[in-house]
Amino acid sequence: MKNSLNHLQELESESIHVMREIASQFERPCLLFSGGKDSIVMAHLAKKAFWPAKIPFPFVHIDTGHNFEETISFRDSLVEELGVKLVVGSVQEAIDSGKSVEEKGVGASRNILQTLTLLDTIEQNKFDALLGGARRDEEKARAKERFFSHRDDFGQWDPKNQRPELWNLYNGKKFPGEHFRVFPISNWTELDVWMYIRSENIRLPSLYFSHKRDVFMRDGMWLAHAPFMQLKDDENLEHKVVRCRTIGDITCTGVVLSEANCLDDIVAEIAATRETERGNRADDKRSETAMEDRKKEGYF
């Protein structure tokens, strides 16, 4: 346990250093908050990084309008607890205004529409650095990221044109209109995140713990059901004991069959699993390069 705690302390120290670098180098940073475990850990790290002062930047949530109710309730309670400003970018407003066109039919999702709403939110608020909870172990496109990920004035990411990061030195210089996405927990693994949550006793949405829910099987994944989701002719609702490993838009967030209802059980489950958490994300299965394509267009 001592060695694992030292390992977590090193990761925590590295992440806090990156957050303090952001506060010192940029004028209008923010923290991207999805309500998932990684962004909750980010909020906890930010609280530690600037204690006893308040967190010196707002939280930004891109709301698809198809979120789990538990996620929104948790988001609002945490923001109130931390005393931070919350900026919400609404995908529904983009649809209503004609900026975005909603997908139709079975398998429709608003997840891809988040990109335009995010870029609009960045422009409207003049954010120059956005702290995100992405980790390199999540997905092959994530593994290409540096801590400081430069984005051009269209919000686009070029994986072949990233700046070197020597030791713990980070180059935040940019031209007007450009910005950075910054990933302080890049070097963490999913197991690290859960062990840290356990060691720090961090509060989480109930979605992460086993509970009964109406689900259906699609493309080898169990998906949580919501009234706006259409079932195919061969799909049937079943009442199962499940939990989330990752949380996003309901339409693309897979759940896993699990009896894990406490942090010790979840840590043991993650330590034994051989499937990545994003193996339960339907949005990553649309093509072999789905994540990288979205990132190049301005996605998280």
Side-chain angles (χ1 to χ4, degrees):
M1 175 62 77
K2 183 177 180 181
N3 288 337
S4 66
L5 281 177
N6 287 341
H7 170 64
L8 293 177
Q9 289 166 355
E10 289 176 3
L11 289 173
E12 178 190 74
S13 178
E14 177 182 62
S15 300
I16 286 175
H17 170 71
V18 172
M19 287 189 170
R20 289 173 176 167
E21 279 292 303
I22 291 300
S24 66
Q25 289 195 40
F26 294 92
E27 294 181 2
R28 297 183 65 85
C30 67
L31 188 150
L32 292 171
F33 188 82
S34 68
K37 67 183 184 307
D38 298 315
S39 60
I40 292 168
V41 165
M42 290 277 291
H44 183 80
L45 290 166
K47 180 180 177 180
K48 276 195 163 187
F50 303 103
W51 181 264
K54 288 187 176 182
I55 298 172
F57 37 72
F59 287 12
V60 173
H61 181 221
I62 304 304
D63 183 2
T64 66
H66 288 171
N67 298 99
F68 290 94
E69 291 182 8
E70 297 93 329
T71 303
I72 301 301
S73 297
F74 186 92
R75 177 201 71 184
D76 293 343
S77 66
L78 183 62
V79 165
E80 182 177 0
E81 174 189 322
L82 295 176
V84 297
K85 178 184 177 183
L86 175 66
V87 176
V88 177
S90 172
V91 171
Q92 184 64 59
E93 289 183 6
I95 294 171
D96 293 342
S97 67
K99 284 187 175 181
S100 296
V101 178
E102 188 164 16
E103 294 181 353
K104 303 295 182 183
V106 176
S109 174
R110 291 182 173 184
N111 196 57
I112 197 170
L113 303 184
Q114 293 181 89
T115 299
L116 177 60
T117 301
L118 173 61
L119 294 176
D120 280 349
T121 303
I122 293 170
E123 183 176 0
Q124 290 165 10
N125 293 274
K126 308 300 181 186
F127 292 130
D128 54 5
L130 292 84
L131 292 152
R135 309 184 320 270
R136 294 193 183 107
D137 76 318
E138 285 183 83
E139 201 269 347
K140 56 189 177 183
R142 297 289 200 202
K144 298 178 181 180
E145 289 279 19
R146 305 289 170 84
F147 279 100
F148 277 39
S149 180
H150 175 263
R151 303 297 172 106
D152 64 20
D153 52 358
F154 293 102
Q156 296 174 324
W157 173 66
D158 181 359
K160 297 180 180 179
N161 187 28
Q162 296 193 78
R163 298 172 182 180
E165 292 181 345
L166 306 176
W167 302 287
N168 60 349
L169 301 176
Y170 306 106
N171 182 357
K173 293 183 178 180
K174 60 180 183 56
F175 290 107
E178 298 177 343
H179 69 274
F180 280 83
R181 310 287 172 87
V182 184
F183 306 107
I185 62 171
S186 288
N187 287 335
W188 299 47
T189 66
E190 183 186 10
L191 184 58
D192 291 330
V193 169
W194 281 110
M195 292 177 66
Y196 185 75
I197 288 169
R198 182 176 63 176
S199 69
E200 296 287 302
N201 195 27
I202 298 173
R203 184 168 64 92
L204 293 173
S206 59
L207 292 165
Y208 281 112
F209 302 94
S210 64
H211 60 284
K212 291 184 177 180
R213 184 177 291 273
D214 286 334
V215 298
F216 61 96
M217 175 66 73
R218 177 177 292 172
D219 298 329
M221 294 180 297
W222 290 104
L223 291 175
H225 183 254
F228 47 79
M229 297 174 71
Q230 297 181 39
L231 297 182
K232 299 178 182 178
D233 292 339
D234 60 345
E235 295 173 342
N236 299 293
L237 288 183
E238 300 183 48
H239 205 56
K240 298 281 189 179
V241 177
V242 300
R243 73 176 193 86
C244 293
R245 282 180 69 184
T246 177
I247 295 176
D249 187 282
I250 294 176
T251 58
C252 61
T253 300
V255 296
V256 294
L257 302 179
S258 173
E259 299 284 345
N261 58 10
C262 68
L263 291 175
D264 284 340
D265 289 347
I266 292 175
V267 168
E269 184 178 272
I270 297 303
T273 190
R274 291 297 176 265
E275 183 178 1
T276 65
E277 62 188 298
R278 292 198 73 95
N280 288 298
R281 288 294 293 264
D283 49 332
D284 288 353
K285 296 181 181 293
R286 292 196 169 194
S287 74
E288 284 293 320
T289 59
M291 171 66 81
E292 184 159 335
D293 291 342
R294 295 200 307 277
K295 284 171 61 62
K296 288 178 179 179
E297 294 171 356
Y299 185 71
F300 304 128

